[in-house]
Amino acid sequence: MSQYVYDFSGGSMAQRHLLGGKGANLAEMTNLGLPVPPGFTITTDACRVYLKEGREPHELAEEVTDHLLSLETTMGRRLGDPADPLLVSVRSGAPQSMPGMMETVLNVGLTDRSVAGLAAASGDERFAADSYRRLLHMFGTTVLGVDDAAFVETLDELKRRRGVTDDTQLDADDLRALVDAYHQIIGSGAGRVFPQDPREQLDLSVRAVFGSWNTQRAILYRRHEGIADDLGTAVTVQAMVFGNRGPSSGSGVAFTRDPATGRRGAYGDYLQNAQGEDVVAGIRNTVPLEELAQVDPVSHDELTGMMGRLEKHYRDLCDIEFTIDDGKLWMLQTRVGKRTAEAAFRIAAEMVDERLIDRDEALRRVTGEQLAQLMFPQFADSSSRQPIARGVAASPGAATGEAVFDSATAKRLAAQGRDVILIRRETTPEDLPGMTVARGVLTSRGGKTSHAAVVARGMGRVCVCGADELDIDVAARCMGLPDGTVVREGDPLSIDGMTGEVFSGHLPVTDSVVLRSLAGDHGDHGDHGDHGDHGDHGDHGDHGDHGDHGDHGLVGAVRRLVAHADAARRLSVRANADTADDARTARELGAEGIGLCRTEHMFLGSRRQLIEDLIVADGATEQQAALDALLPLQRADFTSILEAMDGLPVTIRLIDPPLHEFLPHRDLISDEPDSDRRQRLAATLDRLREENPMLGLRGVRLGFTIPGLVHMQARAVFEAAADRVTIGGDPRPEIMVPLVATAAELAVIRREIEGIAVAVEAERGVTLRHRIGTMIEVPRAALTAHEIASSADFLSFGTNDLTQMTWGLSRDDVEASFLPTYLDQGILTTSPFETIDADGVGALIRTAIEQGRAADDALGLGVCGEHGGDPASVRFFDDLGLDYVSCSPYRVPIARLEAGRAALMDRSDAP
Ligand code: ADP
Ligand code: MG
Ligand code: MG
């Protein structure tokens, strides 16, 4: 037989699934001996039965009766006793915290008769009436479904008539009048009278809490946070303690450290003469916790002591609720507190210094996503500014610019060098040109998977979406704010894609201090264990507001945790970099080589003419002349990159895209003054035209049609390496052949490249350390990796193309069209272009690794798609046993951190 009710003393924090987070932690605090008002918790099992069958399980009533009886015995009072009533709260509590999403009813047990008993027993008429009006309000709305506004307006009206601003200024007579008015509101609003049977109050409240699992806002919250819909909530019934008993009473919330910055020292708000819900509801101004030290030093000391104990016990930041009932402190809730990215790093690092946790645990508590947030540019000081609206934080970063309401205007202004924020109700593929040129995108509809959000993330644009308070009128080129003001085209605007906040005006943007510090962290990635608590000591006992100091604590924390990740990780981390500048940045950020250097980017700008010459060349002589002109330029590119990455591997990919990408667009050919050239260009374009260029003449296939091109590129690489060797450098070039589908292709190209290496070595009298490998981006290559491995020193998974080819999706096309619809409808939960598709693409990679390693156990294996910088994907790649991931330079620290975490995580934790 299942048990549906547990006394606080019979539970523990391990039972959050059954007792909800609140119930489990109340049990834990009770067993720690902290002053918790006694009570019991009805399990989530009971809720699930209720939600499924529309009625409570049969056994529940009797179990509640038993536990209520024992609570009454403990308290020496009976629920709702007319002489001296026991009152209880009925509280919701889900397995995963859903703050403010569900309902709680306080003061259950008060009736027209017992309110007199409470007044008599406490000797305080005002307090009794205040408690009753609160019950009527909460029960009326939560249990009986009466509109909240009726209660609020009546209270406001009474305050107005009495000429007071605060509820505490109302006297006993006022509150009794309020009770009468509330009875009437319930009578007319609910079509029934307020129940005068205490047990009926209790049962109806429990049922209402069960039901609150499925309110619209709770459902939306769960969808947003990815919490399962079938967990159900537990219900906690707890003896009331009273913060509304006058000035020697009050309620508060507190964190054991600052959840925004992570600074040490309790942080919280207190409200005198108030019940708990008043603190968060903001009906009166709370005071900071330090003031409690003046008002009630004994309780303050006791509270500080208990917070210390809780933190030691939970070994983490705790978020608590407390109430002081006539000078006696009670603990009403605790949980591991939510925190910002900044606080997460700082708290984790400082808890290591305090020996609360070890460094592995600290590393588990921070994520690559959080580190990414700390590396984006930020508003220099948004905390002092009031946002004009809030939406979903859809794509991080800080953007500021002029408001524009359509794509064409965005393009026009951007072309004049102006920064714009594109504002739309929602975006469609039509808005792409505007999104491309905008600093940021703001919409009033849609969430994290809306078109605007998906596309903005893909393009690295800042995006706030679903800011539904904004009344956007695209035709009139303006938007209205709730307070009546209007933002028009051209008005300055700032949006924060990390917080979802929208500000008016241009807020100054700064580089992240974390990024600056990581970039200064030259090659110093060893284990900092011995001086782990170095540099942070200035912070002890210093909770002052020295901004720099706080940053310093953060920067130190990030560096130490990244250093620990470096010590822990098995995966090596390289960068995708096409220029010496990028290579240097990447190396500063900790890259251990280049995993992908795309050579086609070197043919842009003024060199475009040369590659054009090559493509339209008529005959071998013309072709060779074009190649001869390109060779020294390529050699110089490679020399500078090999220099920036001296001593580290540099994977250079041979030219990959279809050749027509290097030619002018057909519409532009008519601008060409030379008519002979014009004709040749037109003819070449005709010759190269393809239905599906992505699947056409590109990659290794070019090596068979224009052999001189591969030859030139390989020679440039080896000559550059020879130049470096000659002056004492240590170049480690790795030539990578793209788009190979069959071992035969690679075998031919490899022989050619090897021939060039031998030739250059002979000409220059040097030995060149090099490797030749291929990119695995065609499914067939993955499935025949054992054959391909015979001609490859390494395989590098080009997961962008491999994903496109495996799914049959062209990324540029689908991200702007139906991918958002798929995400919205739940056909896909994440974009396979952001997080590696473990089941499909991942299976191909796994197969290729197994085959490749079986054929050659020294085969190098890496990933060079964008997934290499995605936290969840990095864990998966670690699990597969790859040697390295390669990602964009700014994601290198994120990949380092996640690779470290991956090494610590449970192997089954992959996406
Ligand atoms: P939420 O999950 O929305 O925070 P809670 O169940 O924690 O809801 O309750 C709302 C408020 O009522 C909190 O401030 C809490 O501290 C207070 N509260 C709950 N139970 C009691 C009680 N038994 N005595 C006094 N205050 C209580
Ligand atoms: Mg609470
Ligand atoms: Mg590719």
Side-chain angles (χ1 to χ4, degrees):
M1 207 196 84
S2 57
Q3 182 184 345
Y4 288 114
V5 184
Y6 289 78
D7 198 83
F8 288 172
S9 55
S12 83
M13 69 177 171
Q15 288 169 296
R16 60 173 31 244
H17 204 78
L18 192 63
L19 304 179
K22 203 179 284 168
N25 287 320
L26 281 165
E28 189 76 15
M29 285 201 291
T30 301
N31 294 326
L32 278 176
L34 298 187
V36 176
F40 54 85
T41 297
I42 302 169
T43 63
T44 54
D45 283 345
C47 177
R48 282 195 296 273
V49 172
Y50 176 82
L51 293 175
K52 199 159 129 228
E53 297 175 13
R55 51 150 195 86
E56 292 83 359
H58 298 301
E59 308 88 331
L60 185 62
E62 207 182 306
E63 280 190 57
V64 168
T65 302
D66 289 348
H67 282 84
L68 183 59
L69 193 63
S70 99
L71 178 62
E72 290 174 332
T73 310
T74 310
M75 300 300 292
R77 290 197 195 93
R78 281 188 304 111
L79 181 72
D81 185 340
D84 180 11
L86 167 69
L87 305 185
V88 296
S89 60
V90 179
R91 316 175 65 184
S92 53
Q96 273 160 292
S97 151
M98 297 169 54
M101 285 302 127
M102 289 178 299
E103 308 292 356
T104 283
V105 187
L106 304 181
N107 307 329
V108 168
L110 276 180
T111 63
D112 291 347
R113 289 174 66 207
S114 68
V115 71
L118 181 64
S122 65
D124 189 342
E125 297 262 342
R126 186 196 175 279
F127 154 67
D130 186 56
S131 302
Y132 198 22
R133 63 98 184 173
R134 289 169 184 274
L135 170 63
L136 289 168
H137 183 175
M138 274 185 266
F139 195 94
T141 52
T142 302
V143 183
L144 300 177
V146 181
D147 194 8
D148 186 59
F151 295 97
V152 175
E153 277 160 23
T154 308
L155 174 59
D156 285 348
E157 170 59 27
L158 176 63
K159 286 197 285 192
R160 237 186 338 267
R161 262 191 293 124
R162 304 295 293 155
V164 302
T165 49
D166 290 345
D167 58 323
T168 44
Q169 295 165 300
L170 297 171
D171 63 20
D173 284 336
D174 295 329
L175 293 167
R176 268 192 295 263
L178 197 58
V179 164
D180 289 341
Y182 280 6
H183 269 308
Q184 271 173 21
I185 292 171
I186 289 178
S188 57
R192 63 158 293 173
V193 296
F194 174 74
Q196 294 292 328
D197 172 0
R199 177 62 193 261
E200 187 187 358
Q201 286 177 12
L202 174 61
D203 291 341
L204 289 177
S205 298
V206 169
R207 186 175 293 178
V209 172
F210 281 161
S212 70
W213 176 257
N214 276 334
T215 59
Q216 199 57 33
R217 65 174 176 190
I219 293 170
L220 280 178
Y221 182 86
R222 287 198 294 272
R223 190 166 302 163
H224 193 256
E225 300 290 310
I227 300 174
D229 272 327
D230 57 2
L231 299 174
T233 179
V235 184
T236 290
V237 176
Q238 185 176 27
M240 283 299 300
V241 290
F242 300 98
N244 57 332
R245 225 193 262 274
S248 61
S249 305
S251 289
V253 295
F255 292 88
T256 54
R257 305 182 188 220
D258 185 337
T261 64
R263 281 204 183 86
R264 287 197 187 87
Y267 176 95
D269 297 311
Y270 182 69
L271 194 56
Q272 238 176 341
N273 195 11
Q275 263 192 344
E277 75 279 10
D278 299 347
V279 181
V280 273
I283 57 155
R284 275 181 272 142
N285 283 335
T286 56
V287 300
L289 211 53
E290 298 87 78
E291 276 186 41
L292 178 61
Q294 259 89 67
V295 183
D296 184 347
V298 176
S299 295
H300 182 266
D301 275 3
E302 200 185 344
L303 178 66
T304 314
M306 281 183 216
M307 287 169 72
R309 276 184 68 189
L310 280 174
E311 225 191 46
K312 283 217 169 57
H313 184 69
Y314 282 86
R315 299 182 308 127
D316 207 342
L317 166 73
C318 293
D319 167 355
I320 69 160
E321 289 174 3
F322 66 95
T323 279
I324 298 174
D325 183 339
D326 198 18
K328 161 91 180 116
L329 175 69
W330 295 95
M331 303 296 273
L332 289 173
Q333 187 173 331
T334 195
R335 61 180 166 223
V336 167
K338 293 199 193 307
R339 68 207 72 184
T340 61
E342 177 178 346
F345 274 89
R346 195 163 164 169
I347 291 172
E350 292 183 358
M351 284 193 167
V352 172
D353 298 342
E354 296 160 27
R355 306 201 189 293
L356 281 174
I357 56 176
D358 62 17
R359 280 178 290 157
D360 286 357
E361 176 61 18
L363 187 52
R364 282 189 202 101
R365 287 188 186 179
V366 293
T367 67
E369 294 300 354
Q370 287 170 329
L371 181 55
Q373 285 182 19
L374 296 174
M375 290 173 59
F376 281 107
Q378 297 153 357
F379 286 124
D381 187 21
S382 60
S383 54
S384 61
R385 297 285 284 253
Q386 201 52 35
I388 55 171
R390 255 173 234 280
V392 177
S395 179
T400 164
E402 297 173 50
V404 298
F405 294 86
D406 66 289
S407 185
T409 311
K411 273 186 71 177
R412 188 164 48 76
L413 297 189
Q416 298 166 14
R418 285 148 75 176
D419 293 338
V420 300
I421 306 284
L422 178 64
I423 304 169
R424 304 288 287 170
R425 280 208 192 111
E426 57 208 331
T427 62
T428 67
E430 241 103 275
D431 297 311
L432 276 182
M435 296 177 77
T436 314
V437 299
R439 295 268 144 190
V441 179
L442 170 64
T443 72
S444 60
R445 292 202 200 132
K448 278 200 165 134
T449 61
S450 64
H451 177 269
V454 174
V455 175
R457 277 198 301 277
M459 302 194 302
R461 287 297 167 284
V462 178
C463 178
V464 172
C465 57
D468 53 14
E469 314 148 276
L470 300 176
D471 183 14
I472 296 174
D473 187 341
V474 168
R477 299 163 180 274
C478 66
M479 67 177 176
L481 304 176
D483 69 1
T485 49
V486 175
V487 173
R488 295 180 198 287
E489 187 172 286
D491 288 350
L493 206 66
S494 301
I495 61 174
D496 189 331
M498 208 101 75
T499 62
E501 290 169 320
V502 182
F503 302 93
S504 67
H506 288 304
L507 264 57
V509 175
T510 58
D511 260 0
S512 133
V513 284
V514 169
L515 175 62
R516 254 183 288 147
S517 155
L518 286 170
D521 192 7
H522 296 267
D524 179 20
H525 307 310
D527 193 334
H528 290 220
D530 297 339
H531 32 261
D533 41 15
H534 205 102
D536 283 11
H537 273 169
D539 260 48
H540 283 277
D542 176 2
H543 310 301
D545 265 328
H546 311 296
D548 287 339
H549 223 87
D551 290 346
H552 193 78
L554 170 65
V555 162
V558 170
R559 290 174 62 131
R560 286 164 55 193
L561 288 170
V562 171
H564 186 58
D566 285 337
R569 69 188 157 92
R570 186 193 59 73
L571 270 178
S572 133
V573 177
R574 298 192 192 178
N576 297 350
D578 304 338
T579 64
D581 272 349
D582 280 358
R584 274 188 291 273
T585 303
R587 192 164 190 166
E588 280 172 7
L589 290 169
E592 296 157 308
I594 290 180
L596 175 62
C597 171
R598 282 168 291 222
T599 50
E600 54 270 18
H601 290 181
M602 300 166 181
F603 297 131
L604 301 178
S606 55
R607 302 187 194 172
R608 200 188 187 109
Q609 186 68 32
L610 299 175
I611 187 94
E612 208 178 284
D613 290 348
L614 172 70
I615 298 168
V616 301
D618 193 1
T621 323
E622 263 185 50
Q623 215 179 54
Q624 196 52 50
L627 288 167
D628 289 348
L630 279 168
L631 177 69
L633 302 172
Q634 280 263 272
R635 188 173 55 220
D637 295 332
F638 298 142
T639 309
S640 63
I641 291 173
L642 290 170
E643 181 182 358
M645 280 286 165
D646 193 60
L648 296 174
V650 174
T651 304
I652 296 166
R653 180 179 70 181
L654 299 178
I655 193 163
D656 179 50
L659 294 179
H660 68 82
E661 284 192 13
F662 296 102
L663 297 184
H665 194 270
R666 186 165 276 282
D667 302 343
L668 296 177
I669 295 181
S670 47
D671 296 347
E672 175 70 56
D674 175 348
S675 78
D676 175 46
R677 176 94 172 178
R678 193 156 63 219
Q679 268 174 15
R680 272 166 76 171
L681 278 170
T684 313
L685 274 176
D686 280 341
R687 181 166 51 81
L688 295 177
R689 215 192 76 78
E690 291 174 315
E691 291 297 337
N692 288 308
M694 187 176 115
L695 304 177
L697 177 56
R698 53 173 287 217
V700 65
R701 301 158 195 175
L702 290 166
F704 292 88
T705 26
I706 314 186
L709 188 53
V710 170
H711 197 99
M712 181 279 287
Q713 287 201 298
R715 179 162 269 280
V717 170
F718 292 125
E719 288 186 1
D723 286 349
R724 292 288 309 147
V725 170
T726 312
I727 58 168
D730 179 13
R732 311 264 177 100
E734 305 190 328
I735 293 183
M736 178 156 76
V737 184
L739 216 77
V740 163
T742 159
E745 287 170 315
L746 186 61
V748 172
I749 301 291
R750 183 188 177 100
R751 263 198 304 281
E752 207 175 313
I753 296 172
E754 274 176 338
I756 298 162
V758 170
V760 174
E761 284 179 326
E763 289 161 23
R764 303 290 296 268
V766 292
T767 315
L768 298 175
R769 180 174 173 167
H770 66 274
R771 303 207 294 171
I772 300 167
T774 181
M775 215 158 161
I776 300 287
E777 45 191 342
V778 176
R780 190 183 188 283
L783 296 169
T784 57
H786 55 297
E787 291 165 6
I788 288 176
S790 63
S791 299
D793 303 322
F794 64 91
L795 306 181
S796 172
F797 296 92
T799 49
N800 294 356
D801 266 343
L802 190 57
T803 300
Q804 297 200 90
M805 304 239 187
T806 303
W807 283 77
L809 291 176
S810 149
R811 180 176 187 174
D812 289 343
D813 294 323
V814 303
E815 275 193 343
S817 60
F818 69 89
L819 196 63
T821 312
Y822 267 36
L823 291 164
D824 264 351
Q825 296 190 0
I827 309 256
L828 293 175
T829 50
T830 43
S831 161
F833 298 111
E834 280 176 28
T835 294
I836 192 83
D837 152 37
D839 297 336
V841 180
L844 282 171
I845 298 177
R846 195 188 302 271
T847 303
I849 292 174
E850 279 163 12
Q851 288 192 13
R853 283 252 160 88
D856 171 6
D857 57 15
L859 187 70
L861 291 164
V863 160
C864 63
E866 277 167 62
H867 301 93
D870 170 66
S873 308
V874 171
R875 292 199 286 279
F876 180 69
F877 295 140
D878 180 65
D879 210 25
L880 289 183
L882 291 174
D883 300 325
Y884 67 87
V885 294
S886 186
C887 56
S888 75
Y890 289 104
R891 307 255 348 150
V892 165
I894 297 160
R896 284 161 61 197
L897 188 85
E898 282 296 344
R901 283 163 45 79
L904 303 176
M905 295 280 172
D906 175 4
R907 295 287 143 187
S908 63
D909 213 44

